[in-house]
Amino acid sequence: MFSFLQKIGKSLMFPIATLPAAALLLRFGQDDLLGIPFLSAAGAGIIDNLAIIFAIGIAFGLAHDSNGGAALAGAIAYLVLTSAIATINESINMGVFAGILSGIVGGLLYNKFYNVKFPAWLAFFGGRRFVPIITAATMTVLAGILGYAWPPVQEMIDGAGDWILNAGMFGVGAYGFFNRLLLPTGLHHIINTIVWFDFGTFTDATGEVVRGEINRFLKGDPTAGPFLSGFFPIMMFGLPAACLAMYAAAKKERKAIIGGMLFSIGFTSFLTGITEPIEFSFMFLSPLLYVVHALLTGVSMMIAYALDVHHGFGFSAGAIDFILNYGLAQNPLVLLVMGLGTGVIYFAIFYFLIVKLDLKTPGREDEDAEDGNADTGNKGIDIRAYHTIEALGGNDNIAAVDYCTTRLRLTVKDADKVSEKDLKRHGAMGLMKINKTNVQVVIGTAVEFLADAMKNRLANGNPTPESLDVPAEELSTEAELVKEIRAEDFGMPIDGKIIPLSEVPDEVFAKEMMGPGFGIIPSGNTLYSPVDGQVVTVFPTKHAIGIVTDTGVEILIHVGLDTVKLNGEGFETLVEQGQLVQRGDALLKLNLTYLGGNASSVVTPVIFTNLTGQELEVLKTGSQKQGTVSILKIQ
């Protein structure tokens, strides 16, 4: 559990880094300073959306491979939760807690399902594509539960708020304690609203009756301020001193990394009174420190009350508000003396607890927690990744690994070191050497899992696994070829006009005796491969070419009708049987003038010969340029 909280806290570091700039923009754009609305709006764009930012950051941080798919899952989780829960009770506002919960769920579901495999007919929705689906379903259920479970929590907070407002010094102290303690849930806004905008009444010189601690203070009520004053020593001195303590206790090799971050968020707290960047930096890494911080805030509030200090703010308890509202305050200099003492106390307590208890504040995290889990969760894939790397010339020969739907696309230092024989021995269907430094390996729909496993291994030097044989129980888990073609994976093979297959002037093709497809009236003089695949047939008469895609779909492109009788005249083949091709590679040169004068028709059927149970949908008709995608799809 402790390690899990560490990961949550560390995942907040990236979004927290955006908050100091947002805080400065928000404060300086206010009417009492520069009065530039778009500045405050720019800062508010981050501050007001803190919940979804945390949802994205936590999910991303919890992902074992820091993949953007987890971030998407966190965002989806938050949007589903907040939208669905509002239909049950519009008054529910879970604040930042909704983002934290969504990020945790999104990150955990990503780690659980990122490599899930489905039967062939559902394989497209496997792996990372399944994560948003299961996330949306899970958060819908949680929204249904929280829609009824959360309102009682809010009622408990409201009841505690009523007691706080009527308990004198102890009430002020309790308010300060709960104000900080409830920050992660967003519920501190509930008691803030009551105290700041509803507590007490005051009639100003014009006869206007104003309510709330902030409004009464700014309007000149001499009794206002006790519920605001004690925050100044904490925000201006205490929390910046906590940043100094965390820096002093950080590991020597990590001080340079976290020093700039701690300075910026500490200065932001001192200047503007915005403390969330500091508090979220240790809230989950070291919950004990956060409880101590909440207690010290309560003590500061009680001391300021006992010393009869009355000061207030319009935005927050930073140096800007301290100076701006100095003329309205009572005994304000006492707060500076308190602040110096508070800073010393914060530094001493934080540094002592961090070092003594080895608390994992920024700069002291465990390195293995930083690195994350490199295990793919599938020993068979991991072993296959080892062999694939070795067949590619080893760790030192591979410069970059990428992949598309079915192929590894690799940058290597020397393509001659790549062994096609060894690749095929360990599951590859083919190898294409593009040039001396770029190769492609046809894997099939399991390519995503293999590529991820290879990246993990390359990062660690591709250590030899304990066993070089795939476990027997995993031999059947390899993803099967899925006879499908996505719309974006099929390109128009030649300039021309697409017509329905039924309009092809040949009964064998028109009645789909050889399979479904479409016809092309060509206007170009070069036929190109519409897919990534392998040339399996080049007819001796050159009039037709057969290709099998990387996903197992067999395609016959028959140029013209009765062209077999031409014995190759009017054609020039550019590929050989058995050659791997990718979409857009030239296959065949055509002499359309000769073909038009010597064949019964130049209409070119494109036929899919091995579809069983799949559906072919032609998406475009009419004139199309070669290379145009979204011509059709097969699923």
Side-chain angles (χ1 to χ4, degrees), residues 172-182 291 294-298 301:
V172 170
Y175 165 64
F177 173 73
F178 286 112
N179 175 277
R180 295 295 90 189
L181 194 66
L182 295 175
V291 174
L295 288 169
L296 290 174
T297 302
M301 299 288 286

Side-chain angles (χ1 to χ4, degrees), residues 320-336:
I320 293 174
D321 271 286
F322 182 87
I323 295 170
L324 287 176
N325 300 321
Y326 184 87
L328 298 174
Q330 176 179 312
N331 299 326
L333 294 178
V334 173
L335 295 177
L336 298 181

